[in-house]
Amino acid sequence: MLKHTLIILTFLIVFISCGEGKNPTNKINSKTRHIEVSNTEFEIECALTFINTYVDNSNKMNKSIEISDWVNSNSLTTKNFKTELKKIIDDAYEEDPELGLDFDPIFDAQDYPSEGFELESLDKKTNYLTVRGKDWPEFKLTMKVINENGNCLVDGCGVVNIPDSKRASR
């Protein structure tokens, strides 16, 4: 009987002491902070990968994939982004069948930094990012990323799904 009592007391002491000094709230906050940092890095990487692969495609000149085809085949954009881009292009060709768009809606310009982009700022509350040209730092571009089913996707860039108040000034 004494042996069983000692085993139970030892078990209780070990069990209770393992939890001492640990605050479950701090543990949750610590995990939350880690997840936020990871998500922030993931969102930045998602946005930069999208825009810099778009730059790479645009740099190919005559061998580049047409903008709609490139975006539709890209796994980093939302369905909403693809739909809005198509609408912008279709509306432009309806208005002017010969010219269509006279600028690139993703770059929100006719020209772009040919060396790609780097992060300038990120608003964690709204997930709007501002990127700037590596070889043209005055060239800025607004992007928006969202989390959709655990995946970071670009939902706005240039004039596509970016309100006028959020667009980079030219």
Side-chain angles (χ1 to χ4, degrees):
M1 176 84 171
L2 181 61
K3 187 175 182 181
H4 290 295
T5 306
L6 283 175
I7 292 173
I8 292 172
L9 279 173
T10 304
F11 177 76
L12 285 173
I13 290 170
V14 169
F15 180 75
I16 291 169
S17 67
C18 285
E20 276 185 26
K22 290 189 177 180
N23 180 344
T25 305
N26 289 341
K27 189 174 183 181
I28 291 169
N29 287 341
S30 174
K31 284 183 179 179
T32 303
R33 279 193 298 272
H34 177 70
I35 289 169
E36 286 174 6
V37 168
S38 297
N39 283 344
T40 298
E41 291 170 6
F42 187 57
E43 291 163 351
I44 293 167
E45 185 64 30
C46 167
L48 289 175
T49 298
F50 168 80
I51 196 61
N52 286 326
T53 55
Y54 186 67
V55 167
D56 291 343
N57 180 64
S58 299
N59 285 343
K60 293 178 183 174
M61 303 298 265
N62 295 338
K63 296 180 182 179
S64 67
I65 300 171
E66 196 272 327
I67 184 173
S68 293
D69 294 335
W70 189 88
V71 168
N72 285 330
S73 68
N74 191 291
S75 62
L76 292 175
T77 55
T78 63
K79 184 177 181 179
N80 185 37
F81 184 95
K82 293 170 183 175
T83 302
E84 183 61 23
L85 176 65
K86 181 180 180 341
K87 181 182 180 322
I88 290 169
I89 292 170
D90 290 349
D91 288 353
Y93 277 110
E94 187 175 308
E95 189 174 310
D96 187 341
E98 286 185 35
L99 179 61
L101 283 175
D102 61 349
F103 73 104
D104 185 307
I106 291 176
F107 292 132
D108 189 13
Q110 291 178 334
D111 297 319
Y112 61 93
S114 61
E115 295 296 316
F117 292 86
E118 59 192 5
L119 180 70
E120 176 159 302
S121 65
L122 166 67
D123 183 338
K124 292 179 187 178
K125 291 179 184 172
T126 63
N127 287 343
Y128 280 100
L129 298 96
T130 301
V131 294
R132 67 175 170 254
K134 291 178 184 177
D135 58 328
W136 186 357
E138 299 80 29
F139 189 104
K140 296 180 181 170
L141 185 61
T142 302
M143 301 179 72
K144 179 166 177 106
V145 293
I146 64 169
N147 184 323
E148 191 173 274
N149 300 322
N151 296 310
C152 178
L153 299 174
V154 175
D155 191 48
C157 186
V159 299
V160 183
N161 290 334
I162 302 292
D164 290 341
S165 63
K166 295 283 187 183
R167 287 172 50 193
S169 58
R170 298 267 179 261

